[in-house]
């Protein structure tokens, strides 16, 4: 089976908060958002259109979504994608949901990432609105 990835048209920002921070309600109204909390901190990924008062932030991330759903018995999907990108010196920020995986790459690396993935046999669906 040939794996397909879709490029999201929006850019995302990765925010860092203290672990006990209260997030603004606007985060939960976003179409797509990710939240991870540990003892060390709270990480939030949202559209760059939403400005948040975070401790630190990393801007200009583009998202590649592995089109699923992916069963839990499927192995090595994220490993193969991240390995393909590591081979061409592209750093990633990976996120997973119950159904699929998301790979964020910096905007200035998006075209190189797409080219490397296509060369490796992945099908890429690029939105006309992609940055």
């Amino acid at each position: 089976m040939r794996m397909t990835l879709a490029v999201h048209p929006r850019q995302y920002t990765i925010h860092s908060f203290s672990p006990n921070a209260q997030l603004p309600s606007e985060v939960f109204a976003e179409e797509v958002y990710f939240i991870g909390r540990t003892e060390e901190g709270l990480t939030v990924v949202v559209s760059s259109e939403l400005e948040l008062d975070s401790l630190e932030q990393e801007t200009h991330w583009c998202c590649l979504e592995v089109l699923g759903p992916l069963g839990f018995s499927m192995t090595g999907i994220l490993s193969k994608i991240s390995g393909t990108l590591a081979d061409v010196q592209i750093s990633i920020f990976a996120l997973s949901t119950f159904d699929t995986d998301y790979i964020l790459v910096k905007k200035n690396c998006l075209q190189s990432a797409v080219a490397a993935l296509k060369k490796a046999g992945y099908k890429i669906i690029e939105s006309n609105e992609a940055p």
Side-chain angles (χ1 to χ4, degrees):
M1 171 175 90
R2 189 164 106 149
M3 193 66 54
T4 303
L5 291 91
V7 179
H8 282 211
R10 294 178 144 183
Q11 285 187 46
Y12 294 88
T13 299
I14 304 167
H15 295 271
S16 176
F17 293 91
S18 64
N20 57 354
Q22 295 297 310
L23 296 177
S25 61
E26 293 87 1
V27 169
F28 305 100
E30 285 291 294
E31 185 178 317
V32 174
Y33 64 89
F34 292 91
I35 299 172
R37 181 172 179 238
T38 66
E39 291 178 6
E40 291 80 31
L42 180 65
T43 299
V44 177
V45 179
V46 290
S47 167
S48 294
E49 295 168 17
L50 178 61
E51 294 184 21
L52 298 176
D53 185 21
S54 52
L55 299 173
E56 290 183 65
Q57 51 187 256
E58 277 282 326
T59 60
H60 304 296
W61 289 89
C62 295
C63 181
L64 296 157
E65 176 183 353
V66 180
L67 296 184
L70 307 176
F72 284 103
S73 62
M74 297 176 74
T75 60
I77 294 167
L78 192 55
S79 172
K80 289 175 184 155
I81 293 169
S82 63
T84 297
L85 297 177
D87 288 345
V88 292
Q89 306 301 307
I90 295 176
S91 183
I92 69 165
F93 188 88
L95 298 160
S96 295
T97 66
F98 192 89
D99 293 319
T100 195
D101 296 316
Y102 298 83
I103 296 89
L104 277 62
V105 298
K106 285 293 212 165
K107 180 183 177 187
N108 63 348
C109 295
L110 179 61
Q111 294 302 6
S112 297
V114 166
L117 291 165
K118 283 181 177 178
K119 185 177 179 183
Y122 291 91
K123 180 180 179 187
I124 308 294
I125 298 172
E126 296 186 70
S127 167
N128 293 335
E129 303 170 49

